Amino acid sequence: MKIWQTLLNLILPPRCIKCGKILSVKNGLCAECFSKITFISEPMCHHCGIPFNDAVNIKFNTVQYCGKCLQKKKFLFELQRSAFIYNDESKDLILDLKFRDKTAAAEILANLLYTAGSDIWKEQPDILMPVPIHHKRLMQRRYNQSALLCRYLVHKTGIDADYTSLQRCRNTIPQVQLSGAARRNNLKHAFTAVKPQNIRGKKIVLIDDVATTGSTLNECAKVLHKAGAAAIYSLTLARTQK
Ligand SMILES: [Zn+2]
Ligand SMILES: [Zn+2]
């Protein structure tokens, strides 16, 4: 087995998924690219997962909440987690996966998701669910990047995935082309729960590549709550820093 891996590495050496540099071990990112990505780690808001930049007055190893979450009474998500900040240094990782067919990186990115989701796995969710894309877009792109990540996460977590119960029934304008209120309007009635019997009473982890305003994930969560989901968690590769 090992000899085949060695031979394979000679023919197809592992490369950095960001810059393409040849790596000695298949760990995804070269040291330089790794150091440029802003990974999210403690201290962060236990609920929404936003990292606390202001290190003053921050206590480690205690559950803490951001000002926004402390004020809120009702939440769409039990927990929200992301692996890294979406910025100029990290956006290529997302765009390559989404539009440039570089799906080989999906396994490595799913490992980052797995690490970022550690607090979610402790809650023992029932199913993983990728944010669906419309079937017309699926035909153009040939794959749903979130479903791809989900597939690797099934192996890592042992939790089943459900790819069909939540569907995108309207082919909306890509969210990146819109802002604020237009984003929310664009997504109205975009998703439906086609098999509510698979959703009722379940603790569901919604998987997506990036959370910008969060409108897409929020819309999915509303539909899932309406269908009777017991709890919803959001897990994305990246999030924007507000
Ligand atoms: Zn690199
Ligand atoms: Zn928060």
Side-chain angles (χ1 to χ4, degrees):
M1 196 64 194
K2 215 174 171 186
I3 187 149
W4 289 115
Q5 195 57 52
T6 314
L7 281 171
L8 192 66
N9 282 357
L10 282 173
I11 310 161
L12 282 170
R15 288 175 183 273
C16 170
I17 58 169
K18 190 161 179 279
C19 71
K21 198 188 283 171
I22 290 176
L23 304 172
S24 52
V25 280
K26 192 187 168 187
N27 54 3
L29 288 156
C30 71
E32 202 187 331
C33 289
F34 189 89
S35 69
K36 284 182 185 161
I37 304 288
T38 314
F39 286 100
I40 298 171
S41 57
E42 296 284 352
M44 65 170 98
C45 170
H46 184 71
H47 177 256
C48 72
I50 197 157
F52 294 138
N53 292 329
D54 187 6
V56 189
N57 298 328
I58 303 282
K59 296 181 207 89
F60 285 83
N61 301 321
T62 51
V63 172
Q64 293 178 89
Y65 299 92
C66 73
K68 246 182 171 175
C69 289
L70 279 173
Q71 279 169 13
K72 265 196 227 171
K73 287 193 180 75
K74 262 180 96 179
F75 296 103
L76 273 176
F77 299 100
E78 299 297 312
L79 295 173
Q80 291 171 276
R81 291 292 183 271
S82 306
F84 50 79
I85 298 290
Y86 186 78
N87 55 21
D88 285 344
E89 290 297 342
S90 69
K91 71 176 179 205
D92 273 346
L93 289 176
I94 304 287
L95 298 176
D96 280 350
L97 177 72
K98 205 166 184 165
F99 302 112
R100 300 177 195 143
D101 251 356
K102 287 200 188 167
T103 49
E107 186 178 2
I108 285 147
L109 295 173
N111 286 340
L112 297 178
L113 263 187
Y114 177 72
T115 309
S118 62
D119 285 333
I120 296 176
W121 314 134
K122 285 179 206 157
E123 304 274 311
Q124 297 183 306
D126 301 299
I127 33 177
L128 308 175
M129 203 178 264
V131 167
I133 61 175
H134 192 263
H135 65 88
K136 272 192 187 150
R137 206 169 292 166
L138 189 64
M139 301 272 265
Q140 289 164 357
R141 223 189 269 166
R142 291 180 291 124
Y143 62 93
N144 171 0
Q145 74 284 354
S146 305
L148 203 61
L149 293 168
C150 216
R151 233 172 50 200
Y152 287 108
L153 274 178
V154 167
H155 290 295
K156 295 284 286 184
T157 60
I159 302 166
D160 283 338
D162 182 332
Y163 302 99
T164 55
S165 297
L166 180 68
Q167 285 189 10
R168 198 162 195 140
C169 44
R170 265 183 47 225
N171 199 10
T172 51
I173 304 163
Q175 289 289 91
V176 281
Q177 295 171 19
L178 304 165
S179 60
R183 280 184 181 227
R184 286 188 293 276
N185 275 330
N186 182 43
L187 289 168
K188 259 193 191 138
H189 312 297
F191 302 95
T192 58
V194 289
K195 292 178 205 152
Q197 68 273 23
N198 294 347
I199 292 163
R200 202 171 303 130
K202 294 279 163 59
K203 290 159 92 174
I204 301 169
V205 187
L206 269 172
I207 310 286
D208 209 358
D209 50 357
V210 53
T212 44
T213 60
S215 332
T216 309
L217 286 155
N218 289 351
E219 207 51 41
C220 288
K222 281 180 201 161
V223 171
L224 294 174
H225 274 302
K226 229 178 173 175
I232 301 163
Y233 308 88
S234 106
L235 182 59
T236 66
L237 270 179
R239 67 177 291 159
T240 46
Q241 199 164 31
K242 281 157 212 152

